[in-house]
Amino acid sequence: MHTHVRNARRRGTVRSGTAVLAAAGLVIAGLTAAGTAAVAAPTPPAPESSQQLAASSADALVASRPAFLLAGPQEQFVRGQVASSNGSQYVPYERTYSGVPVVGGDFVVVTNGAGQVTYNSVAQQHAIGTLSTSPSLSRDQAEKVASAQLKSVSKVEGTRLVVYALGDAPAALAWESTVNGVGDDGYSRLSVDVDARTGAVLHTQEHVLHGSGTGAWNGPAPLTINTTSSGGKFTMSPTNITNMPCQDAANNTTFSKTTDTWGNGDATSKETGCVDAEYVAQGEFRMLAQWLGRNGMDGNGGAWPIRVGLADVNAYYDGSQVQVGHNNANQWISAVDVLAHEMGHGIDDHTPGGISGSGTQEFIADVYGASTEAFMNEPAPYAVPDFLVGNQVNLVGTGPIRNMYNPSLISNNPNCYSSSIPSAEVHAAAGPGNHWFYLLAQGSNPPGGPTSPTCNGSTVTGGVGVQNALKIVYNAQLMKTTASSYLKYRTWTLQAAKNLDPSCGQFNTVKAAWDAVSVPAQSSDPTCTVAGNDFSMAVSPSTGSVNPGSSLTATVSTTLTNGSAQTVNLSASGLPAGATASFSPASVSTGGTSQLTVSTAASTPPGTYSVTITGAGTSTTHTATFSLTVNGTGVCTPAQLLGNAGFETGSAAPWTTTSGVVDNSASEAAHSGSWKAWLNGYGSAHTDSASQTVTIPTGCRATLSYWLHIDTAETTTTTQYDKLTVSVNGTTVASYSNLDKNTGYAQKSVDLSSYAGQSVTLKFNGVEDSSLQTSFVIDDTAIQTG
């Protein structure tokens, strides 16, 4: 058995292109010569990923100080984390003035996958010019002004000096304080910008945005939720989502017990409230991954604690938690359209520009509530996708609190945009945005209804489906700045649709829907044209669930977007084993529709599958996505399939490993017991692996889990030198590198339900480069069926 090298030699030279980072991102600093700039980092390494190419191109553009930045020589720019979506790369920046943060100085540069800049959005409307950074008002005086904006204040979180540059007024030096307490709408966490010269309030930003177990609102029972097991105790905290326990709001204690059975179906029980909350939040987490490619609510695999028991007829997100209150019947209100809405505020908060403003924040959160409801697609009497908000929980005894297809059916909620919307009460201001989203997703008169009126008497035909509509909103959010508004969202969603669908079909629907709710055209709106004959295609509904041995239907619609009509031949791919797809008719003329029927066999394994519908026209081909969920059969005997799962036999079998992987040395502790699998750690070019083959029974859901510890001598924060891949039948299901180093062990999990009825080979494969060790230590593995 080999000895792992723990004190490997350090690299003698820095690899070409290793970036130097400052604080949250790369600093692009102004030089002493006005109008010039330099990037305080070497060129990124080659070959570059799409994100690296985007960052390089954006940095080069920003360093040249283009006119749209309105930048002076005292200003610097800090690049944030690059986000990717459907081939586009979004590169956000923050701005400082003589080292002072600029509120409203943020912007986003958009590139394609090759790093070519395609678009930019900038919050700032005018140059800062010359500004003194010495305040006349003291910090204490500013905090008194900020505190006076609330009825009572429990604490001042902090105060910082900023340059306030939002809006039409000249930029001003300001103190920005965040105060906690009680405001007109109850609990408040309010940021207040106070002019550091005059003491005038320039801006306020509210951070409190109201809005297997047996649950009360979700079903059918039993509900499957991910929990944590340790030391004979179960806690209501998912192992695959960072920082999302469900807790009792009375004491912020995570629910725990000695059995993994939760809730009793009584909505007045906090534990039942937590079952519903975790079920919804974990469903939203899956939706973000499958529909948007986003890693969790915060974009980094995590979220924030959910606390059930707020003593208020309300629920809210405040930047650090989601609090769930009760309805007038004292039932905890963690239904899909409530809980996913609050998580939607958090998603909004964790995209460029922060929380959407000027009356748009509540409609953005409602979009995530409605989309999660569509993704989870529960049957009646549970959370049926219905484009209503709060109808299940009946908050104050009068039914839904918002209606997306006809907002005016709720008192004081307008269907149409007007100049008064940005200053209206934020929930009422959601009306035009909710109306727009319904028209975009469903059209004004969808099959099966409900019909939605338009403000200009137009008919919005087709609709792009909820999944595509959400993609458009999300990609618009990735261009968001602190200057967000309905007018900006019109421009951003048009640009997003153009990026996502170059055929212009989605673009035209986005435009028609905004026109239909009276949001006016802007000079900054993009245009979209297609040469030759072209069409767009959509599937409605875009998701569906079916029991093995049964079938479901959906409608495939085609729309002529340019030129003359053409014949479109339809086909489907990505179906699970035993499933078939048929179209009636199999060919349509552009503008026509076809019924898609997906049939499954009794042996079709449970799981969620992305089915690609292809429309091959005479001049072009387009695709649409249908998310197919095959339900479990309910006839599965729970079992743990892996042999020697904790490696405690001291030998490899039934694992197949490279030499020395199964190890009990003291240099690396096991997660439990004495033995573990230790891959790599040599500090030289080396490959280690461990694999095992098992059969997942037909009709079973299956989850792979394992505990992973990574330590490394690498010091880079940007480059993956040493890598671990986890594969099933040759398909990578997870990957890690030296950048994922951690203290102690973290449990990881992967859903393998789609492999039911198959023999699968699980393989851990670690590859280490020529120097500086990285150790990938694995223990307590399992493939658990149920």
Side-chain angles (χ1 to χ4, degrees):
M1 186 175 293
H2 66 256
T3 301
H4 287 73
V5 178
R6 297 302 301 118
N7 296 306
R9 64 182 178 85
R10 295 186 177 275
R11 300 184 193 275
T13 58
V14 178
R15 293 179 184 269
S16 172
T18 301
V20 179
L21 300 183
L26 182 68
V27 175
I28 302 179
L31 297 178
T32 54
T36 60
V39 178
T43 304
E48 295 178 307
S49 69
S50 294
Q51 288 194 344
Q52 290 172 319
L53 285 168
S56 298
S57 296
D59 286 345
L61 174 66
V62 172
S64 72
R65 302 219 159 193
F68 68 78
L69 287 184
L70 302 169
Q74 299 90 348
E75 292 164 49
Q76 296 179 316
F77 307 99
V78 180
R79 174 173 23 97
Q81 181 175 335
V82 182
S84 302
S85 181
N86 293 89
S88 292
Q89 311 298 320
Y90 299 87
V91 191
Y93 292 84
E94 297 288 340
R95 183 186 312 235
T96 62
Y97 179 93
S98 297
V100 178
V102 178
V103 175
D106 55 307
F107 57 94
V108 179
V109 176
V110 185
T111 79
N112 60 21
Q116 298 166 320
V117 175
T118 59
Y119 186 73
N120 67 79
S121 61
V122 182
Q124 201 166 295
Q125 298 179 27
H126 50 78
I128 294 173
T130 302
L131 187 70
S132 170
T133 56
S134 297
S136 303
L137 201 71
S138 71
R139 180 190 301 265
D140 288 346
Q141 289 173 317
E143 288 179 353
K144 287 181 180 178
V145 174
S147 297
Q149 307 310 303
L150 295 180
K151 291 181 176 179
S152 64
V153 173
S154 57
K155 73 173 181 178
V156 178
E157 281 188 23
T159 300
R160 63 172 185 164
L161 199 63
V162 301
V163 172
Y164 184 79
L166 270 177
D168 297 326
L173 188 70
W175 288 106
E176 185 175 77
S177 300
T178 299
V179 290
N180 293 183
V182 177
D184 291 337
D185 293 326
Y187 177 67
S188 176
R189 182 170 174 260
L190 189 71
S191 291
V192 184
D193 292 290
V194 178
D195 192 306
R197 182 176 58 87
T198 67
V201 174
L202 300 175
H203 179 71
T204 61
Q205 174 64 65
E206 180 60 76
H207 297 279
V208 174
L209 299 168
H210 301 286
S212 129
T214 302
W217 309 114
N218 299 289
L223 304 177
T224 300
I225 58 174
N226 189 318
T227 58
T228 297
S229 172
S230 179
K233 185 171 71 172
F234 296 90
T235 56
M236 203 177 290
S237 180
T239 58
N240 61 327
I241 304 175
T242 305
N243 191 32
M244 201 181 76
C246 196
Q247 301 176 333
D248 187 334
N251 50 24
N252 293 351
T253 300
T254 303
F255 281 91
S256 63
K257 60 199 313 185
T258 57
T259 64
D260 201 18
T261 303
W262 306 86
N264 60 7
D266 182 352
T268 64
S269 158
K270 290 182 182 179
E271 183 179 304
T272 298
C274 265
V275 170
D276 281 315
E278 282 289 345
Y279 183 71
V280 171
Q282 292 177 29
E284 188 167 17
F285 184 91
R286 293 193 302 274
M287 183 270 288
L288 294 175
Q290 294 178 31
W291 282 10
L292 302 179
R294 181 177 174 87
N295 185 18
M297 288 71 158
D298 66 0
N300 289 300
W304 27 86
I306 304 169
R307 290 165 179 153
V308 175
L310 172 68
D312 196 2
V313 182
N314 214 332
Y316 67 76
Y317 161 86
D318 70 357
S320 64
Q321 61 180 331
V322 166
Q323 285 265 353
V324 179
H326 58 82
N327 60 15
N328 278 354
N330 291 317
Q331 298 170 311
W332 306 113
I333 57 174
S334 39
V336 176
D337 52 9
V338 175
L339 199 287
H341 168 103
E342 300 306 335
M343 286 291 181
H345 280 308
I347 297 164
D348 192 29
D349 199 14
H350 287 75
T351 49
I355 297 166
S356 296
S358 298
T360 60
Q361 59 265 54
E362 294 299 325
F363 109 71
I364 290 295
D366 280 346
V367 163
Y368 282 94
S371 298
T372 303
E373 205 170 62
F375 175 82
M376 298 182 75
N377 197 27
E378 296 180 14
Y382 304 106
V384 177
D386 52 21
F387 294 93
L388 298 173
V389 181
N391 55 308
Q392 265 192 298
V393 299
N394 195 16
L395 192 67
V396 294
T398 59
I401 57 175
R402 284 188 295 285
N403 180 314
M404 299 181 76
Y405 58 83
N406 192 348
S408 64
L409 294 180
I410 308 298
S411 177
N412 298 320
N413 286 5
N415 280 4
C416 310
Y417 180 81
S418 67
S419 59
S420 64
I421 289 293
S423 58
E425 192 278 325
V426 292
H427 298 89
N434 283 344
H435 192 190
W436 168 81
F437 184 77
Y438 181 83
L439 293 170
L440 173 62
Q442 303 293 95
S444 56
N445 191 20
T451 298
S452 179
T454 59
C455 304
N456 60 355
S458 66
T459 298
V460 180
T461 57
V464 302
V466 175
Q467 181 176 351
N468 286 328
L470 177 63
K471 284 182 180 179
I472 290 168
V473 171
Y474 176 64
N475 279 261
Q477 287 180 278
L478 295 179
M479 292 180 269
K480 172 165 53 75
T481 69
T482 49
S484 56
S485 65
Y486 268 106
L487 305 182
K488 289 286 189 180
Y489 264 114
R490 176 183 170 114
T491 299
W492 292 333
T493 53
L494 285 169
Q495 184 64 41
K498 182 177 180 178
N499 293 345
L500 291 164
D501 176 22
S503 76
C504 300
Q506 291 185 11
F507 178 95
N508 292 334
T509 307
V510 169
K511 183 177 182 295
W514 282 126
D515 292 343
V517 299
S518 300
V519 173
Q522 302 297 297
S523 59
S524 55
D525 286 353
T527 59
C528 190
T529 57
V530 178
N533 296 345
D534 207 354
F535 66 95
S536 63
M537 188 171 69
V539 183
S540 180
S542 58
T543 64
S545 60
V546 63
N547 293 324
S550 299
S551 62
L552 55 76
T553 61
T555 299
V556 180
S557 58
T558 61
T559 303
L560 180 65
T561 58
N562 199 64
S564 304
Q566 58 184 296
T567 299
V568 179
N569 298 311
L570 300 170
S571 61
S573 59
L575 292 159
T580 60
S582 61
F583 299 88
S584 180
S587 298
V588 296
S589 178
T590 46
T593 62
S594 175
Q595 179 174 285
L596 163 67
T597 301
V598 177
S599 301
T600 61
S603 60
T604 298
T608 299
Y609 306 89
S610 181
V611 179
T612 299
I613 309 301
T614 300
T618 53
S619 63
T620 186
T621 297
H622 293 291
T623 61
T625 301
F626 180 80
S627 180
L628 171 67
T629 298
V630 180
N631 302 320
T633 62
V635 288
C636 178
T637 301
Q640 199 290 103
L641 304 180
L642 289 175
N644 195 15
F647 307 99
E648 292 302 319
T649 67
S651 61
W655 295 92
T656 299
T657 69
T658 50
S659 176
V661 163
V662 178
D663 177 273
N664 70 341
S665 64
S667 301
E668 288 283 1
H671 175 255
S672 66
S674 303
W675 294 80
K676 73 279 178 182
W678 184 354
L679 280 67
N680 308 115
Y682 290 92
S684 59
H686 189 83
T687 298
D688 270 334
S689 65
S691 62
Q692 186 175 153
T693 300
V694 299
T695 298
I696 299 175
T698 298
C700 282
R701 288 193 170 275
T703 302
L704 163 66
S705 63
Y706 50 94
W707 291 86
L708 175 64
H709 168 59
I710 303 172
D711 70 46
T712 183
E714 302 281 5
T715 58
T716 177
T717 60
T718 59
T719 306
Q720 298 182 359
Y721 289 123
D722 310 314
K723 300 178 182 178
L724 173 72
T725 57
V726 185
S727 63
V728 175
N729 285 356
T731 299
T732 298
V733 295
S735 60
Y736 311 94
S737 74
N738 49 282
L739 300 181
D740 299 305
K741 63 184 178 182
N742 59 339
T743 56
Y745 281 82
Q747 190 177 33
K748 311 294 183 180
S749 64
V750 179
D751 186 358
L752 301 185
S753 300
S754 60
Y755 292 92
Q758 300 179 44
S759 175
V760 298
T761 298
L762 165 67
K763 184 175 183 180
F764 297 95
N765 194 72
V767 179
E768 192 173 16
D769 75 343
S770 58
S771 61
L772 288 180
Q773 74 86 26
T774 297
S775 295
F776 301 102
V777 191
I778 301 161
D779 201 0
D780 294 333
T781 64
I783 294 180
Q784 179 67 49
T785 64

